[in-house]
Amino acid sequence: MSVDQVCLIVDDVEFDRRMMRRVMAKYCPDMPLIIARNLGEARVRLREKNVSILFLDNALPDGMGVDFLSEMSSDKKLRTVPVIIVSDFPTPFMYAKAQAANVCEVWSKREFVGPSVRRVVQKHVRVH
C-alpha cells in the first residue's frame, strides 16, 4: 500500500465507528484511517486529505449519504473516490440512487467484516 492512501469512514454512531476501526486495523493495518461523524466533517476531511476509499453511512445527522454522492460527483477530485455505502437498513431506493452515482457497493452494517473490507480495498483503492 502506498503511504498516501487514506480511508475515510463517515458514521455518526460511536459503536459502529469502533467496530469499523477494529475491522480496518485487523484486515487493512497499513491503511491510515480518518473518521468523520457527519457530512460537514466529511467535507473537511475530503478537502484535507487525498482519500483513497470512503465508507459512508447513509443516515447522518446533517443529511443522507446517498444525497452527498451527487455533491461528490460534481467535484472533479472527489468523483473518482470509491464509495461503499454502509447502512443500518439498505432500501431498494438507496440501491437505485447508489447505482446512479457509481457507488462501488452497498452494505448493511453487519456486512462490514474483514474479508469484505479487504476485498473492496484491494479492488477499489486508487493510488494518488
Side-chain angles (χ1 to χ4, degrees):
M1 253 182 235
S2 172
V3 178
D4 57 357
Q5 294 176 331
V6 176
C7 172
L8 172 59
I9 291 176
V10 182
D11 199 297
D12 61 320
V13 178
E14 179 63 25
F15 177 84
D16 293 333
R17 290 193 305 266
R18 285 183 185 186
M19 174 273 296
M20 292 178 188
R21 276 191 194 106
R22 281 192 306 272
V23 170
M24 290 298 296
K26 184 172 181 180
Y27 289 89
C28 299
D30 297 331
M31 169 80 58
L33 190 59
I34 54 176
I35 304 290
R37 295 169 296 182
N38 55 50
L39 295 176
E41 288 181 10
R43 287 180 186 96
V44 171
R45 305 288 183 276
L46 285 162
R47 279 194 300 274
E48 291 174 344
K49 301 280 187 179
N50 285 323
V51 172
S52 304
I53 192 163
L54 168 61
F55 291 97
L56 177 64
D57 188 12
N58 188 50
L60 294 156
D62 55 351
M64 302 299 284
V66 291
D67 296 330
F68 182 60
L69 295 171
S70 63
E71 184 180 322
M72 287 181 65
S73 67
S74 66
D75 184 294
K76 195 163 95 173
K77 178 184 168 196
L78 300 182
R79 76 171 56 128
T80 62
V81 175
V83 178
I84 293 84
I85 293 189
V86 185
S87 176
D88 288 317
F89 305 105
T91 64
F93 176 72
M94 185 188 312
Y95 283 101
K97 268 191 138 172
Q99 187 175 14
N102 293 322
V103 167
C104 299
E105 298 185 23
V106 177
W107 295 351
S108 70
K109 297 262 174 101
R110 70 182 181 280
E111 292 175 290
F112 196 98
V113 294
S116 296
V117 169
R118 184 182 293 141
R119 176 187 53 77
V120 80
V121 166
Q122 288 174 343
K123 182 176 180 184
H124 295 289
V125 164
R126 62 193 179 109
V127 178
H128 305 287

